[in-house]
Amino acid sequence: SATQQQQQCLPQDLPRGALLRIGPNGASADEGFLDGDGMVHCITLPPPLPNDDGGDQRQQHQQQQQQIMYSSTYVETKGRKLERARRIKTASTDGAGGNDVRFSGTLGAAPDGLPMLASLVRNGITFGTVEVQKDTCNTALAVSGSRVLALMEQSPPSEIAFARDGRMTTVESMCRLDGAVPFAPINGGSFGAHGRIDPRTGERVH
């Protein structure tokens, strides 16, 4: 039989929700690729259409609601907030834009210890913080209860949330997960980015 193609219509049995991917983005030429800030790519598949709409009303509703949405958004980490505050302060002080004010990367220097240490010291002086390792949160995504987390190995995660239209917001940076991630100097604490599920209990371990 002939195949009929219907525009802007997703199969009713196609699972709906959001497809998420994360990775580093925006590292400078003198940094390592993994020093880039976490950017989340989101493809949102809308919920199925109700079956009780009829005729033109259903078609109009279909065109409005069946659009697949895409977004790409940086995780609003504590490091990004400090960089933005420093740029604003620099601009108000000397009139310059201060666009080059950013945390020095550390992973590009690995495994050379001295350049990495120099970057950490520079970050502490520039931003006046003991959490000198930037929380890029660029490595992986995980779910903890009702929370969606953006992870990296060296710092606490950031909690993020998504709307049906694909928009992402950062709920909390340096998320402590109700005290499960204790504070530590240098990196603020850590939470493994490559978790595993215990096959006996079903619990996820980081």
Side-chain angles (χ1 to χ4, degrees):
S1 61
T3 301
Q4 294 182 350
Q5 184 176 12
Q6 189 173 3
Q7 298 293 332
Q8 296 184 339
C9 181
L10 297 174
Q12 289 295 103
D13 59 349
L14 179 68
R16 309 306 170 92
L19 175 64
L20 308 176
R21 291 291 184 268
I22 191 170
N25 194 67
S28 64
D30 57 348
E31 294 177 312
F33 171 70
L34 292 176
D35 286 315
D37 291 327
M39 174 175 280
V40 177
H41 302 267
C42 174
I43 298 175
T44 304
L45 302 178
L49 290 171
N51 293 322
D52 54 355
D53 285 349
D56 295 339
Q57 181 183 0
R58 176 176 173 80
Q59 291 181 2
Q60 183 179 4
H61 182 75
Q62 184 177 17
Q63 291 177 354
Q64 293 174 349
Q65 300 297 324
Q66 290 290 96
Q67 294 183 2
I68 299 175
M69 307 297 293
Y70 168 78
S71 67
S72 57
T73 313
Y74 278 111
V75 181
E76 190 65 7
T77 62
K78 182 177 180 180
R80 285 180 63 84
K81 295 175 184 177
L82 288 174
E83 288 174 341
R84 183 164 53 252
R86 183 68 178 178
R87 288 166 187 159
I88 294 174
K89 182 178 180 180
T90 301
S92 63
T93 300
D94 57 18
N99 291 329
D100 58 341
V101 178
R102 56 182 295 161
F103 274 78
S104 296
T106 56
L107 297 179
D112 297 327
L114 288 180
M116 183 182 296
L117 180 60
S119 293
L120 294 175
V121 172
R122 190 180 307 115
N123 291 339
I125 295 174
T126 302
F127 296 98
T129 178
V130 296
E131 298 167 354
V132 292
Q133 170 64 55
K134 186 179 182 182
D135 55 330
T136 55
C137 294
N138 63 12
T139 307
L141 297 168
V143 176
S144 176
S146 60
R147 295 165 164 162
V148 180
L149 305 175
L151 309 175
M152 68 176 293
E153 291 288 351
Q154 297 91 344
S155 294
S158 289
E159 180 183 352
I160 56 180
F162 298 87
R164 285 191 175 186
D165 61 2
R167 288 178 298 171
M168 189 203 85
T169 57
T170 301
V171 178
E172 181 183 4
S173 58
M174 287 281 182
C175 182
R176 301 290 172 191
L177 297 178
D178 302 322
V181 183
F183 171 80
I186 307 299
N187 62 357
S190 59
F191 187 79
H194 303 284
R196 294 293 183 268
I197 296 178
D198 188 323
R200 293 177 299 174
T201 65
E203 294 181 327
R204 188 171 179 86
V205 180
H206 285 268

